[in-house]
Amino acid sequence: MEPRDKKQDVFLPFPEPLREGVILARPNRFIMDVDFGTADEQGEPAGIVRCHCPVVSRIGGLDPAGRPCLVSDSHSPKRKMPLTVEAYSLQQPGDPDKHWIGINQNASNRYVEHFLREGAFATITGPVRTVRREVPLGDSRLDFLVNDDLYLEVKTPLVQMQTDIPPYVPRLPEAPFSSTERSLRHLRELAASLADHERAAILYCLYYDNFGFRFYHGTTYEEVLATVDVCRAAGVELWQADFEVTPAGVALKRYYELEEW
């Protein structure tokens, strides 16, 4: 019998190693203030630097203040905030060998495209001949069309942090979450595409150690489950991919088809 998960350990290096700092505050959804301490030998920015936050939602309903983070530098003088927070950790700043949680939703499609072209998702795609980005389908533009017969939509859920949360990490007050219209529309359009294409799939990408993706039990949960059941019956596949983020790059650790949702 084939193993349930497909182990990969395929690696995508960052252009340069990410720098570690500590998040002091998230003044708004686009900004994180990061403390880098003293200057290093390479003359990197020191002290407190305002950085771009690449995720517009809450991150696991947690307060990021005091959490270690990894930051990239675009080296672009045209950007108001050339530094971007790529990941953060639930461990303490002084802990060695931290585990990182990737939060750059904007980069997720770039990572997936790299691994698609490397053939790392072969169980989903088969041999990859062509990969097209931002393909129109119905009223939407879906992330990928692979080999002209597989629509693949990428999701990077961060509203819930589906891992163990240490007791010293403060939580933010609960807020209702019902922003599912776009996801439901994509599900329905993927199901409708099966009339003309062989396959359609959604790939849920989690950039940290997690215990398996489950949809957030928000105010539209029953509607979402009903839509998922209909679309699965039509043939839409739901897959999860687990990645590991380090200062050096991103590794695809495993992926598997979701049996529950």
Side-chain angles (χ1 to χ4, degrees):
M1 181 180 292
E2 243 186 348
R4 178 174 177 265
D5 58 336
K6 313 298 178 183
K7 296 186 181 298
Q8 299 297 312
D9 288 317
V10 183
F11 190 70
L12 172 62
F14 292 125
E16 62 184 20
L18 304 182
R19 189 178 179 203
E20 186 170 335
V22 177
I23 300 168
L24 296 183
R26 188 183 183 186
N28 65 45
R29 61 183 181 171
F30 301 109
I31 294 173
M32 284 181 172
D33 291 330
V34 177
D35 187 356
F36 290 105
T38 58
D40 59 20
E41 295 178 357
Q42 284 72 42
E44 298 286 354
I48 301 171
V49 180
R50 184 147 284 187
C51 302
H52 173 59
C53 176
V55 53
V56 298
S57 68
R58 291 186 172 203
I59 305 171
L62 306 176
D63 183 349
R67 305 274 56 78
C69 65
L70 294 176
V71 178
S72 65
D73 190 340
S74 68
H75 299 288
S76 173
K78 296 181 180 180
R79 282 185 49 174
K80 184 177 180 180
M81 291 179 288
L83 304 184
T84 297
V85 178
E86 300 285 347
Y88 84 128
S89 176
L90 297 178
Q91 295 167 259
Q92 300 285 26
D95 289 348
D97 302 322
K98 297 180 185 69
H99 299 290
W100 299 100
I101 297 171
I103 64 171
N104 194 338
Q105 292 174 313
N106 298 325
S108 192
N109 280 17
R110 186 171 74 247
Y111 302 154
V112 170
E113 181 176 11
H114 170 82
F115 294 121
L116 280 171
R117 294 187 183 279
E118 289 292 310
F121 289 112
T123 302
I124 303 176
T125 64
V128 174
R129 300 180 302 277
T130 60
V131 178
R132 292 172 53 197
R133 289 280 301 268
E134 296 293 319
V135 181
L137 178 64
D139 295 327
S140 303
R141 298 184 72 85
L142 299 187
D143 293 320
F144 296 102
L145 179 60
V146 182
N147 296 338
D148 293 322
D149 63 7
L150 169 62
Y151 279 112
L152 183 65
E153 177 71 4
V154 173
K155 302 293 183 185
T156 309
L158 285 170
V159 172
Q160 276 192 323
M161 196 56 58
Q162 299 181 343
T163 190
D164 293 327
I165 309 298
Y168 54 77
V169 177
R171 297 175 183 267
L172 298 171
E174 287 288 337
F177 176 75
S178 59
S179 181
T180 57
E181 181 180 348
R182 184 170 180 268
S183 294
L184 294 181
R185 185 176 75 247
H186 285 172
L187 274 167
R188 295 185 186 106
E189 288 173 341
L190 282 169
S193 76
L194 295 172
D196 300 309
H197 296 80
E198 292 183 5
R199 295 176 60 214
I202 293 183
L203 182 66
Y204 293 94
C205 297
L206 283 83
Y207 292 88
Y208 61 94
D209 287 333
N210 65 89
F211 44 66
F213 175 70
R214 295 292 181 269
F215 190 79
Y216 178 74
H217 286 239
T219 55
T220 60
Y221 185 64
E222 296 304 324
E223 179 188 0
V224 169
L225 285 188
T227 301
V228 168
D229 288 342
V230 169
C231 293
R232 275 188 133 160
V236 176
E237 302 168 28
L238 304 179
W239 292 78
Q240 175 176 329
D242 293 337
F243 299 83
E244 180 182 37
V245 179
T246 69
V250 178
L252 173 60
K253 303 299 292 183
R254 64 188 64 81
Y255 64 95
Y256 48 89
E257 192 164 8
L258 289 170
E259 298 172 358
E260 300 179 36
W261 208 63

